[in-house]
Each structure stands twice: as structure tokens, then as C-alpha cells.
Amino acid sequence: MASTISVEFCGEWYRIDEGEELMIGREADLDVDDDNPFLHRRFLTIVQVDSMWWLVNVGSRLSATITDGTGSMQAWLAPGARIPLVFDETKVVFTAGPTTYDLSVHADSPKFARIAGQDDPAGETTMGSVQLTESQKLLILALSEPMLAREGSGMSSVPTSAQAAQRLGWQMTKFNRKLDNVCDKLDRLGVRGLRGGPGKLASNRRARLVEHAVLSRLVVREDLPLLDRSQEADED
């Protein structure tokens, strides 16, 4: 039986039949944003090798965060890397400059099926055991608000540190300290891209934090009212 892949972005669908390939980028089959100079012209490609569909990062600088539809699996797709598309739905999120993009890949004949048990919390768990303080969760929510508030897949902008601090009513020194703390905590749990190191800089850790937090369900859309309640409490 023929195997096909479909990609959804901003409400538009792109079908890939056997023997075909879909290129994703600034000037590609799926043109996600031709006005963003930070985005590779050719960034990701979906290609079939034998009977397996693969997502390949053909870019030189940008990475993508990959997860299954439930958020229970997460992978980091660096330049030159590839990952098999084995789930019925795969979420792909990446950031270029100030803009974060997310799209979904659907397989009509998935190679892997996740079977939920009776006690399965339906994707409300996260990778590992992450215990966040109230202020750490609020910080992540302030950065993730545009992506969580948006309906469906598409584009969103990650707030600057100054914008997020203003949203929370915090001083910049407090925001930066809390950001350091939460990034250090997740880095110790193995989340990549949140800290610098010898020969590498975490220049876009806010975007990487948003990608991880939203896809692994550290924060969800239903948490957003906490931001307003927090501000109201500060004003009392």
C-alpha cells in the first residue's frame, strides 16, 4: 500500500506521495516566510528512503525541536541530522531570528503507535521530573504566551526579556536571575540549547526555552490566566 505524508502549516496542507520530496524554508516547496533573512532558503526536507520517511536538516546554522503529538518524546534536530517520521503526528518547531515557526507532519501509515493506558494522563506529563517554582512557571508562561495563545500552527514572536519582565511586573535583574535559574535546571536534566559552553553560545535560549516548554507541556494554554492573576495579586 502506498505511503504518504501530509504537512500542515498555517491551515494549508501539503501532500507528499511516494518518490516525492518536500523542501521547507524561505525559498522552498513550503515557503514558511520569505521575508525572514534569518531563515535558510532550504532548511528542512522530507524524503523517503526505501519504505521510511525522514525529516532531514539540510541547513547550516538552525536547529529544530521535534516531538510526537502527545509531547512524550522530544528530539533536537541539529544541522546535518535526520530523524525518521514514525508517528501518526510529528510536531516541528524552529526559531529564526525573532520568529518561531511550528508545523505538523502527518503519516497515513505510521510505523509506531503510542497506546494510552488506563492511567495515562493524556499528555499532561513532561519529559523527566521537572519541578518548577511558581515564579519559574510564570517566567516561562510570559515568554510562551504568544505561541500558546495562537490557534493552530504558524508563526509567533518570542518576547524580549524586557517585554516579558514588563508583562510580569518584574525588574530586569529579577527576570534575568530567574531565567538563569530555570535554564540551569533544565540544562541539568539534559535539555539542549539553554546554556553556553566552550566554543558555543546560548544566544537564543529564550526561544529554545519556549520550544521545549510548549512541546513537552511544561506550560499549556490553560495556564495563561495565571499571568493576569499574578499581576492582579501584585497590585493588591
Side-chain angles (χ1 to χ4, degrees), residues 140-150 159 167 210 224 227-228:
I140 294 173
L141 277 173
L143 291 172
S144 305
E145 186 176 20
M147 187 171 179
L148 289 173
R150 195 197 60 237
R167 178 73 170 96
V210 169
L224 289 176
L227 289 171
D228 293 324

Side-chain angles (χ1 to χ4, degrees), residues 49-157:
V49 179
D50 295 326
S51 62
M52 183 75 73
W53 287 99
W54 293 82
L55 179 68
V56 186
N57 186 340
V58 296
S60 59
R61 301 184 315 276
L62 303 178
S63 297
T65 302
I66 315 297
T67 186
D68 68 332
T70 68
S72 59
M73 181 286 298
Q74 190 174 121
W76 171 267
L77 194 67
R82 66 177 187 170
I83 189 170
L85 296 168
V86 298
F87 300 106
D88 59 343
E89 181 181 11
T90 302
K91 297 285 190 180
V92 182
V93 176
F94 53 92
T95 300
T99 308
T100 295
Y101 307 85
D102 66 286
L103 53 87
S104 58
V105 182
H106 301 260
D108 67 343
S109 300
K111 304 292 184 182
F112 178 87
R114 181 176 182 271
I115 300 175
Q118 214 172 20
D119 299 324
D120 196 316
E124 293 176 3
T125 57
T126 61
M127 296 173 56
S129 177
V130 184
Q131 300 297 323
L132 297 174
T133 66
E134 181 180 355
S135 60
Q136 288 173 342
K137 184 164 187 174
L138 287 171
L139 179 144
I140 294 173
L141 277 173
L143 291 172
S144 305
E145 186 176 20
M147 187 171 179
L148 289 173
R150 195 197 60 237
E151 295 284 354
S153 66
M155 299 176 282
S156 58
S157 296

Side-chain angles (χ1 to χ4, degrees), residues 63 160 193 220:
S63 297
T160 65
V220 295

Side-chain angles (χ1 to χ4, degrees), residues 3-4 13 23 25 36 55 63 74 94 97 101 109 125 132 169 175 183-184 198 206 217 223 227:
S3 172
T4 62
W13 288 84
M23 186 65 66
N36 187 348
L55 179 68
S63 297
Q74 190 174 121
F94 53 92
Y101 307 85
S109 300
T125 57
L132 297 174
F175 180 88
C183 287
D184 287 345
R206 287 179 291 105
R217 300 178 189 269
D223 292 328
L227 289 171

